[in-house]
Amino acid sequence: MSSTSEKSSTLTKSLFSAQTIVITGLVWGVVALLFFLLFSVPLPGEELPEWYSIGTYIFELGAYLLASIVCLRNWQSPQMVSGRNVWMGIGLGLLFYFIAGVVFGCWELLWELDPDVSMADVFYVISYIFLGWGMTLAVTSKRLNLEFWQWGVLAGVAVAGIALAIWVADPSIFGLLSSPDSTALAEVDIEEIEEVSANLAPSWVVAIDDKLEPFAYSVNLFYIIADVFLLIIATALLLAFWGGRFSQSWRMIAAATFSLYIADMYFKWADSYAQGDYESGALLEVFFVFTAILFGIGAVLEYDISTRSRQSRRSRRSSSS
């Protein structure tokens, strides 16, 4: 019995080892990138096939589920140098993002609905709140002694992020939207599509969309503000932890936030440009997958460094005694 339990324990440790998780994440990201590259551009006059849309959800949701599990594992460990609450916030943020993706998939694939605001947005908003809380704790728990040029970089990133967000919020500033006549025609087409989709969806789903519709502007504004806020926090973390002992893990976290910003900005811009008729699954949406993978790798790296540092201290004490 003891040998069986020891083998089981060894297998579990090997499956959840830092090397195994990091390699799994990298392979998942490469396969996802190849999948998006090969199938994200449909033939002229055709739409993206349903199996492709399902595949994009599998890659994205699988990455977020694994990343949330890894981050919540950090939260359960008292050895984390950055603090347990940091990883609880990030872990819950990724978990709610996973739930939101499942709900959004039901709305899009199962019922063919594309409302301005859906039940998925409730979970997305909660996700951003937890991510912002966790990353803010990471910054406030450390003393940021930034040099003058680092403050300049932070300010430059903030200005660029805000400018891009404003452009995404209103693409008509650069004349990217079509003329009023074509816009009116597009709106008529969208209404017809929504009527057909409403026939496929349960009445309670349609009722929820109707209740949430008045909050469309506020929710979109929240997303833009949250994206810029996370971008600024990520830049501060990147500058603060650049040369430290735990810099490698927080570089991954910062890269994950940059990846989320890229994916979100592209999604919002494409949706505005398509005037509500945007079909998800474009190439740049692979950055949503990269976001989860990078968060997971960052969590694994900090867990590995934190546990190893504590073990080395114990071994030194035992040897000295």
Side-chain angles (χ1 to χ4, degrees):
M1 287 291 293
S2 60
S3 61
T4 304
S5 61
E6 287 176 1
K7 290 180 180 179
S8 174
S9 177
T10 303
L11 178 61
T12 302
K13 288 181 179 179
S14 62
L15 288 176
F16 287 93
S17 65
Q19 184 179 8
T20 301
I21 297 176
V22 170
I23 292 176
T24 302
L26 293 176
V27 171
W28 192 268
V30 171
V31 175
L33 178 59
L34 292 174
F35 184 79
F36 276 81
L37 283 172
L38 292 174
F39 306 112
S40 62
V41 180
L43 295 175
E46 296 184 6
E47 296 182 351
L48 293 171
E50 185 176 0
W51 60 263
Y52 171 77
S53 299
I54 295 174
T56 60
Y57 276 99
I58 292 174
F59 279 112
E60 182 177 332
L61 297 180
Y64 276 96
L65 180 60
L66 179 60
S68 64
I69 293 173
V70 172
C71 290
L72 291 176
R73 182 188 66 166
N74 286 14
W75 164 58
Q76 292 180 336
S77 173
Q79 298 176 330
M80 293 299 100
V81 175
S82 298
R84 297 176 60 189
N85 289 336
V86 171
W87 293 107
M88 181 178 69
I90 296 176
L92 288 176
L94 296 176
L95 181 60
F96 276 103
Y97 208 99
F98 165 78
I99 297 172
V102 173
V103 176
F104 190 83
C106 292
W107 254 250
E108 183 181 37
L109 300 180
L110 187 59
W111 298 312
E112 299 181 3
L113 292 171
D114 186 24
D116 293 332
V117 181
S118 70
M119 192 65 191
D121 290 285
V122 176
F123 296 104
Y124 280 128
V125 169
I126 297 174
S127 171
Y128 272 99
I129 292 173
F130 275 116
L131 283 175
W133 174 56
M135 295 186 66
T136 301
L137 285 178
V139 172
T140 55
S141 63
K142 310 294 181 183
R143 293 182 178 180
L144 297 182
N145 296 320
L146 301 182
E147 298 180 6
F148 180 77
W149 69 269
Q150 291 177 319
W151 283 111
V153 171
L154 187 62
V157 170
V159 171
I162 293 171
L164 181 59
I166 293 174
W167 174 55
V168 167
D170 188 9
S172 61
I173 294 175
F174 296 91
L176 292 176
L177 295 183
S178 54
S179 62
D181 293 338
S182 61
T183 301
L185 292 174
E187 291 177 352
V188 172
D189 293 337
I190 293 169
E191 290 177 359
E192 293 177 354
I193 294 173
E194 289 177 349
E195 290 179 0
V196 175
S197 300
N199 295 330
L200 300 175
S203 58
W204 62 270
V205 172
V206 179
I208 290 176
D209 290 344
D210 292 338
K211 291 289 186 181
L212 295 176
E213 181 65 28
F215 300 98
Y217 176 81
S218 299
V219 170
N220 288 326
L221 181 62
F222 170 83
Y223 285 148
I224 292 173
I225 295 175
D227 281 327
V228 174
F229 175 76
L230 289 178
L231 182 68
I232 295 172
I233 292 293
T235 305
L237 286 171
L238 188 64
L239 294 173
F241 289 96
W242 185 259
R245 183 180 180 186
F246 296 90
S247 61
Q248 195 173 14
S249 61
W250 285 103
R251 286 179 195 174
M252 296 296 104
I253 300 299
T257 309
F258 293 145
S259 181
L260 178 62
Y261 181 82
I262 293 171
D264 263 347
M265 289 298 106
Y266 173 76
F267 181 83
K268 291 177 177 60
W269 174 83
D271 188 52
S272 299
Y273 182 76
Q275 301 170 5
D277 196 23
Y278 174 70
E279 186 178 9
S280 63
L283 176 59
L284 287 184
E285 289 187 28
V286 74
F287 279 94
F288 284 123
V289 182
F290 294 162
T291 298
I293 292 173
L294 291 168
F295 269 119
I297 292 177
V300 169
L301 292 176
E302 169 145 334
Y303 183 87
D304 185 57
I305 296 174
S306 298
T307 53
R308 277 192 301 163
S309 62
R310 295 297 174 90
Q311 290 173 358
S312 62
R313 289 177 185 174
R314 290 175 183 172
S315 61
R316 289 175 184 173
R317 290 176 182 174
S318 60
S319 61
S320 61
S321 61

